[in-house]
């Protein structure tokens, strides 16, 4: 049983990473047999991984039918960001308040601010091709900020709810950063959030977080209604629902 569980975890992590990075596109078929052959696993751990991803909203799965990577729709994106705007600005504000009361809370945010400055300097010096290859470095910093907020916000229910949304938000991150211009804009938005938290300014942290979410939503809308996602579609295996 432990061997099956371990294999299922490995398959889950691989599929989740491929879905979040868009290597597996929205609407792509997930054949248990094909995935098992590609990943060197039997159908049981593959099926368990698919069901787990379905519970997280990353896979559409009906028993007896072929599973597919969950579609990305404008309606779903809007609903997700409306919910995030209720949660994350308050979480950022609470972390800033906690940092004002205990400077140790702000330490990881100060470290992230330094990393962001170093990345900014190196990113601007690269050519376009090298910039595209360095996006993951920025994603790591952005993810570090999100995880630091979850760890420090002080409300376990708020932290758990934000954490449960991470799979959806990580997948959308690759769509929202559609080019160097948006990358640099997002970088400045994260700089504003980090500075506010390290200063212990709850009002500024809340405002900066809300602004970042609004700008990210607009970038996603532009991406979904443009050709970025549709152009990569492989025929009927991609579903883009733009009903708002």
């Amino acid at each position: 049983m432990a061997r099956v569980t371990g294999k299922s975890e490995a398959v889950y992590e691989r599929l989740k990473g491929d879905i979040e990075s868009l290597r597996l596109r929205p609407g792509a078929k997930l054949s248990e047999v094909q995935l098992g052959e590609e990943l060197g696993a039997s159908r049981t751990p593959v099926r368990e991984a698919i069901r787990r991803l379905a519970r997280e909203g990353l896979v559409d799965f009906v028993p007896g039918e072929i599973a597919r990577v969950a579609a990305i729709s404008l309606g779903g994106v809007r609903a997700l960001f409306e919910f995030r705007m209720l949660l994350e600005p308050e979480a950022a504000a609470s972390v800033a308040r906690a940092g004002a009361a205990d400077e140790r809370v702000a330490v990881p945010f100060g470290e992230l601010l330094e990393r962001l400055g170093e990345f900014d300097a190196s990113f601007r010096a690269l050519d376009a091709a090298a910039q595209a290859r360095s996006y993951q470095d920025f994603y790591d910093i952005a993810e570090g900020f999100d995880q630091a907020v979850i760890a420090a916000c002080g409300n376990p229910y708020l932290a758990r709810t934000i954490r449960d949304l991470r799979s959806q938000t990580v997948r959308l991150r690759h769509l929202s950063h559609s080019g160097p211009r948006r990358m640099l804009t997002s970088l400045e938005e994260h700089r504003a959030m980090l500075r506010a938290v390290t200063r212990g300014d709850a009002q500024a942290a809340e405002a900066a977080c809300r602004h970042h979410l609004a700008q990210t939503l607009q970038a996603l809308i532009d991406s979904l209604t443009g050709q970025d996602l549709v152009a990569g579609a492989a025929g009927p295996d991609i579903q883009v629902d733009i009903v708002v």
Side-chain angles (χ1 to χ4, degrees):
M1 179 63 70
R3 183 177 180 181
V4 173
T5 301
K7 194 64 177 180
S8 177
E9 182 69 24
V11 173
Y12 163 80
E13 292 293 345
R14 169 67 180 274
L15 290 178
K16 183 178 181 180
D18 286 348
I19 291 171
E20 288 180 344
S21 66
L22 298 179
R23 286 190 293 270
L24 279 172
R25 306 284 284 178
K29 295 177 182 177
L30 299 175
S31 165
E32 293 179 7
V33 174
Q34 182 178 347
L35 287 171
E37 293 175 351
E38 292 176 358
L39 301 176
S42 66
R43 294 184 67 175
T44 297
V46 173
R47 186 179 302 116
E48 289 178 354
I50 286 174
R51 287 176 174 172
R52 185 174 171 186
L53 291 165
R55 290 194 295 271
E56 295 179 9
L58 292 176
V59 168
D60 293 329
F61 174 68
V62 177
E65 299 182 10
I66 293 179
R68 290 178 179 269
V69 177
I72 296 174
S73 72
L74 279 182
V77 168
R78 288 184 189 277
L80 173 63
F81 272 78
E82 286 175 2
F83 192 38
R84 290 183 67 187
M85 287 181 187
L86 294 174
L87 303 174
E88 295 180 29
E90 173 54 34
S94 70
V95 171
R97 287 192 291 268
D102 183 351
E103 63 182 15
R104 291 173 298 179
V105 173
V107 169
F109 297 94
E111 294 172 350
L112 286 167
L113 187 59
E114 290 182 9
R115 285 179 58 192
L116 192 67
E118 293 169 357
F119 171 82
D120 187 11
S122 62
F123 184 81
R124 293 176 188 272
L126 299 174
D127 59 31
Q131 284 182 340
R133 291 194 297 270
S134 71
Y135 279 17
Q136 187 59 51
D137 294 334
F138 175 73
Y139 295 155
D140 291 343
I141 296 171
E143 182 66 19
F145 172 76
D146 293 336
Q147 293 298 335
V149 169
I150 290 170
C153 78
N155 184 318
Y157 297 100
L158 181 57
R160 186 180 305 118
T161 304
I162 295 173
R163 185 183 300 114
D164 289 345
L165 297 174
R166 294 307 304 151
S167 293
Q168 296 293 337
T169 56
V170 169
R171 181 164 71 142
L172 294 175
R173 179 177 289 157
H174 291 268
L175 288 177
S176 65
H177 298 127
S178 54
R181 181 176 298 179
R182 173 56 196 157
M183 172 67 73
L184 290 172
T185 301
S186 182
L187 186 152
E188 292 304 325
E189 291 162 7
H190 278 82
R191 196 195 309 274
M193 291 188 289
L194 284 165
R195 283 176 172 168
V197 170
T198 55
R199 292 198 309 267
D201 189 334
Q203 185 175 0
E206 179 178 358
C209 183
R210 192 175 302 280
H211 175 72
H212 169 64
L213 291 172
Q215 293 298 108
T216 302
L217 174 58
Q218 186 58 56
L220 284 166
I221 291 171
D222 293 343
S223 182
L224 286 169
T225 55
Q227 298 184 3
D228 291 357
L229 185 63
V230 178
D237 284 353
I238 301 298
Q239 175 187 347
V240 182
D241 169 18
I242 57 173
V243 177
V244 297

